[in-house]
Amino acid sequence: MRSHCVTDGMSPAFLGDEAVAAWTASGAPLVDLLRQAHTPGRLTGFRRGGRAAVLVTEPRHVHQVLGLGGDRYVKRSHRARPLLGDGMLTATGEAWRSQRKLLQAMFTGRGIQRWEHHIEGAAACVVDRWAERARRGEPTDIAEDVQFFTVDTIWRSLTDRPLDQETYVDLAAVQDIVAALPADVGGATALPTEVEAAIGALDERMLRALADARVRHRADGAGASVLDRLLDAAGTDPAYTDRLIRDELVTLLVAGYESSARTLTWAFVLLDEHPEIMERAAGDPRAVEAVLSETLRLYPTGWLLPRHSPADETLDGWAIPAGTDLLVCPYLTHRDPEVWPEPETFDPGRFPARSPLPPGAYLPFGIGPRACLGTRFAMREMEVLLGALLARFTVETTGPAGEAVFGINLRPAGPLHARVRERT
Ligand code: HEM
């Protein structure tokens, strides 16, 4: 095992200024700088523009920053704020606490059963689409199909209405906005005008959905959707202005469809490389769950979870001066060979883990107070769709293979074309 560092106040090791300057000049993605700085057993980082950033990858450090230190290490000027406003992902302090409390019960425990019929309904649409493709012998784009599914499930849950093609086109434009957001924590926040315009169009769509829901809400009384819950809150809490409801809707849409869609696409990329695992998973729900868990280990879409230390802190003996950014990086943690032997190998047999994993070692949904609200929803929708598709179809992708793009989330580049056939 690595030696546990106990030297009080030891300073993290920072990359030399020349290395940072060379990286800046190269225009390479942030993940390359993180890989350069990463030194197992040490707390390392880099300085840019007078700001210090420390890379957090060791499980016990991750646990201390996100889990135990959830109140001390805070989110700050989130990269997605121009899109998400003051929604739950970006909000902080008391505002965040009460926003989370309002929706928590709908997404945890028995609360998630209310979404089962939406998930089943949306999955049936994709199965029908694939059956049609198989009958006609036409190729399909898996990345697009799973994205339609995840937008459909979240839209049904938000509004109680299935997704129509026109709404889908409007909502799917959000992916261009997400792609244009700075991947970098210290990146500029000024957005290109076409992205500002796309945000404006999305706002219009959301405010229209809100107006429709308000009419129905008044006529039919409280419904069961997320929007109904937000409208109920607006009746008693002046904080729930139309603007905040818009922010919460966009947050749930973006958080709710993007990660699940990309994870499902990654699963097909990996299964295509391992046909024997694909065959084993067909008709076996536990194997499907393991495939998804292992996919999320190799490709956690939330590959970088930035935090900020407003006060001087000590992290496991390392001095963290006030003003330091802490870059928790699940992507690197999930490839730590001390926890994950042969970390680059896709092996769903690792799940469920035979002995408890060290805290902080596996965090595709984050950990601590700011962990993903939609963990159970996401796992359920992905299990239902992947299970249904693998049980009924064989899949042969025709490319292009998904090269990893480390943006604000970790996604496979490009479409994923495939031929699907009914199992005989
Ligand atoms: C595979 C799918 C998903 C993955 C990998 C994922 C991952 C994450 C991660 C890593 C965080 C924590 C971010 C941080 O600590 O900085 C997060 C937060 C969040 N996620 Fe997810 N997510 C997924 C699906 C969903 C779905 C389906 C929903 C909604 C139904 C959702 C709603 C949220 C919300 C609202 C937060 C913010 C929670 C808070 O700050 O209190 N996510 N997600």
Side-chain angles (χ1 to χ4, degrees):
M1 286 300 269
R2 281 172 204 143
S3 64
H4 187 99
C5 176
V6 290
T7 320
D8 191 38
M10 189 188 245
S11 212
F14 287 96
L15 267 185
D17 290 346
E18 323 75 60
V20 178
W23 169 80
T24 310
S26 74
L30 180 64
V31 68
D32 287 7
L33 186 63
L34 302 191
R35 283 193 181 114
Q36 271 189 61
H38 186 218
T39 315
R42 293 222 59 175
L43 206 62
T44 58
F46 46 84
R47 289 196 183 85
R48 282 180 307 159
R51 281 170 70 127
V54 165
L55 183 56
V56 180
T57 60
E58 297 239 356
R60 66 172 186 281
H61 295 162
V62 171
H63 179 53
Q64 284 175 38
V65 170
L66 293 185
L68 307 175
D71 288 335
R72 299 204 313 273
Y73 301 108
V74 296
K75 291 192 176 187
R76 197 184 62 160
S77 68
H78 197 283
R79 298 160 287 169
R81 193 173 283 279
L83 173 64
L84 305 182
D86 294 324
M88 194 191 308
L89 196 70
T90 37
T92 52
E94 265 319 302
W96 163 74
R97 222 176 298 280
S98 72
Q99 284 168 243
R100 174 115 191 181
K101 196 164 159 229
L102 182 73
L103 299 184
Q104 178 87 8
M106 295 183 108
F107 287 96
T108 48
R110 292 215 179 136
I112 74 148
Q113 286 171 5
R114 78 184 68 214
W115 311 125
E116 192 67 18
H117 67 292
H118 287 324
I119 292 173
E120 300 276 354
C125 292
V126 184
V127 170
D128 288 350
R129 185 188 295 192
W130 278 28
E132 186 62 17
R133 295 271 200 271
R135 204 176 56 75
R136 294 172 178 237
E138 286 172 5
T140 198
D141 174 1
I142 293 180
E144 179 66 25
D145 295 338
V146 298
Q147 175 169 296
F148 188 93
F149 166 74
T150 61
V151 177
D152 195 7
T153 55
I154 196 69
W155 188 248
R156 287 174 193 237
S157 311
L158 293 178
T159 64
D160 236 352
R161 293 275 177 280
L163 187 65
D164 57 74
Q165 187 61 31
E166 190 201 336
T167 309
Y168 173 66
V169 171
D170 283 0
L171 299 181
V174 97
Q175 69 183 309
D176 301 327
I177 305 173
V178 171
L181 294 174
D184 200 344
V185 240
T189 46
L191 294 172
T193 35
E194 63 276 14
V195 176
E196 297 277 5
I199 294 179
L202 183 69
D203 284 358
E204 254 178 56
R205 164 61 69 184
M206 287 300 170
L207 293 173
R208 223 177 319 144
L210 171 56
D212 290 350
R214 189 169 267 137
V215 171
R216 280 203 311 276
H217 195 74
R218 283 205 191 109
D220 312 341
S225 72
V226 173
L227 197 37
D228 284 306
R229 177 62 56 88
L230 294 168
L231 284 170
D232 282 342
T236 54
D237 182 349
Y240 280 90
T241 58
D242 281 7
R243 185 71 207 171
L244 182 59
I245 295 179
R246 172 269 174 217
D247 289 350
E248 212 67 294
L249 287 179
V250 174
T251 294
L252 288 166
L253 172 71
V254 173
Y257 95 86
E258 175 89 14
S259 293
S260 308
R262 306 305 169 238
T263 304
L264 282 164
T265 308
W266 279 124
F268 278 105
V269 169
L270 291 164
L271 287 172
D272 188 54
E273 291 163 6
H274 299 85
E276 72 295 350
I277 298 177
M278 175 136 57
E279 280 313 298
R280 238 178 286 144
D284 180 350
R286 287 165 63 102
V288 168
E289 190 181 343
V291 162
L292 289 165
S293 300
E294 176 68 345
T295 301
L296 283 162
R297 181 187 70 80
L298 279 172
Y299 296 108
T301 56
W303 69 279
L304 188 69
L305 309 178
R307 293 294 190 270
H308 180 76
S309 177
D312 288 342
E313 297 287 350
T314 306
L315 176 61
D316 198 27
W318 302 90
I320 306 291
T324 304
D325 289 325
L326 291 105
L327 306 182
V328 178
C329 187
Y331 178 80
L332 291 174
T333 302
H334 289 180
R335 289 165 189 251
D336 180 341
E338 293 229 356
V339 183
W340 307 102
E342 297 190 47
E344 304 295 329
T345 304
F346 175 63
D347 176 10
R350 301 177 202 267
F351 293 95
R354 273 169 279 285
S355 50
L357 293 165
Y362 182 67
L363 67 155
F365 294 101
I367 53 170
R370 302 299 300 247
C372 180
L373 177 78
T375 304
R376 300 232 4 240
F377 182 102
M379 285 306 289
R380 185 70 196 140
E381 65 173 337
M382 295 190 300
E383 282 161 27
V384 167
L385 184 69
L386 189 59
L389 294 176
L390 293 182
R392 181 150 166 192
F393 303 96
T394 59
V395 185
E396 196 186 314
T397 69
T398 51
E403 193 187 310
V405 179
F406 292 82
I408 198 159
N409 55 32
L410 173 54
R411 62 190 159 86
L416 185 63
H417 297 297
R419 292 213 165 268
V420 294
R421 292 188 182 85
E422 297 266 4
R423 286 184 182 277
T424 45

